[in-house]
Amino acid sequence: MQPFDKVQPIVLLVDKTDPAAHRDAVAAAAVASVRAYTATEDSDAWENWLYGRFTKTVRRANPSTFGKLAAEAPSGAVTVGRAQALAFEPVTYEQMPKNLAKLQVSGTQLPDEAPAPWPGNAPVIVLNADLDMSTGKASAQAAHALLSWYLQLDPSGRQAWQQAGEPAGVRFTAGELFAESAARPGAGPLIVDAGMTEIAPDTATAFVESASFSPAAGSPV
């Protein structure tokens, strides 16, 4: 990545005494990414970034720091189960505020406990279980997928999803089933990673199970 490239900062709450579930954190990060966009989509910060690599950086904060950042984040704090996340407009690494830049990026891993149930009409973000992604990496890929899905909705679909409370579920699927599911009609855009961290370049990582917002079966498994 060049220094002048933009990146969207996403922050996960990591409470060492009461850690949230891995999949809830991934879902919260994805929704926060979209909410930051919808809150500030007229800003010049999104110009060109939306048509590039959708680069995101997922960082972690303790409860005290998270609370201070939430007051500044256009997404506000997004809550899924016990997980919380927030997101900002894209910035270059050079322009990133110090209170974000100093947060830790690597090594964010939350326990793989049962996630909170999601509504039946929620879009389900499907991630490639073969990649053994950390919570931080999976959150970035899920955010790519959900924002790509949202941008393909027509205005009425976007409004319906927002009025439903911006629900999202997360499922990890392994092997051939992941590839088969991604190729089904109605699957959202397939996210292919650039390979900057954790996984090899040109690896398929995530997609949204439905390309439109409509009632469908969806629950944790």
Side-chain angles (χ1 to χ4, degrees), residues 7-12 22 25-31 33 49 53-59 105 108 125 127 133-148 172 191 193 197-199 205-206:
V7 59
Q8 184 188 27
I10 299 172
V11 180
L12 291 175
H22 171 63
V26 172
V31 174
S33 175
W49 183 87
R53 291 182 300 182
F54 269 32
T55 308
K56 302 176 190 294
T57 176
V58 178
R59 296 160 186 259
V105 179
T108 301
I125 306 164
L127 292 116
M133 292 180 280
S134 67
T135 303
K137 184 66 174 181
S139 295
Q141 301 307 303
H144 295 334
L146 193 65
L147 182 56
S148 296
F172 283 82
I191 303 305
D193 192 63
T197 59
E198 290 195 25
I199 57 180
T205 58

Side-chain angles (χ1 to χ4, degrees), residues 103-163:
L103 297 178
Q104 291 293 316
V105 179
S106 62
T108 301
Q109 184 63 59
L110 293 171
D112 192 15
E113 301 171 350
W118 59 75
N121 63 347
V124 179
I125 306 164
V126 182
L127 292 116
N128 189 342
D130 290 346
L131 303 179
D132 195 26
M133 292 180 280
S134 67
T135 303
K137 184 66 174 181
S139 295
Q141 301 307 303
H144 295 334
L146 193 65
L147 182 56
S148 296
W149 168 83
Y150 177 84
L151 292 172
Q152 289 198 342
L153 294 178
D154 61 25
S156 63
R158 294 182 183 188
Q159 184 179 32
W161 181 68
Q162 290 172 328
Q163 290 177 343

Side-chain angles (χ1 to χ4, degrees), residues 74-102:
S75 67
V78 174
T79 301
V80 177
R82 298 195 317 279
Q84 287 190 287
L86 48 88
F88 296 81
E89 300 168 84
V91 294
T92 65
Y93 278 105
E94 291 181 337
Q95 296 171 333
M96 190 179 297
K98 290 182 179 179
N99 57 357
L100 288 175
K102 69 182 182 182

Side-chain angles (χ1 to χ4, degrees), residues 6 12 16 35 47 123 154 177:
K6 288 181 178 178
L12 291 175
K16 293 183 178 180
R35 189 182 290 179
E47 187 177 359
D154 61 25
L177 183 56

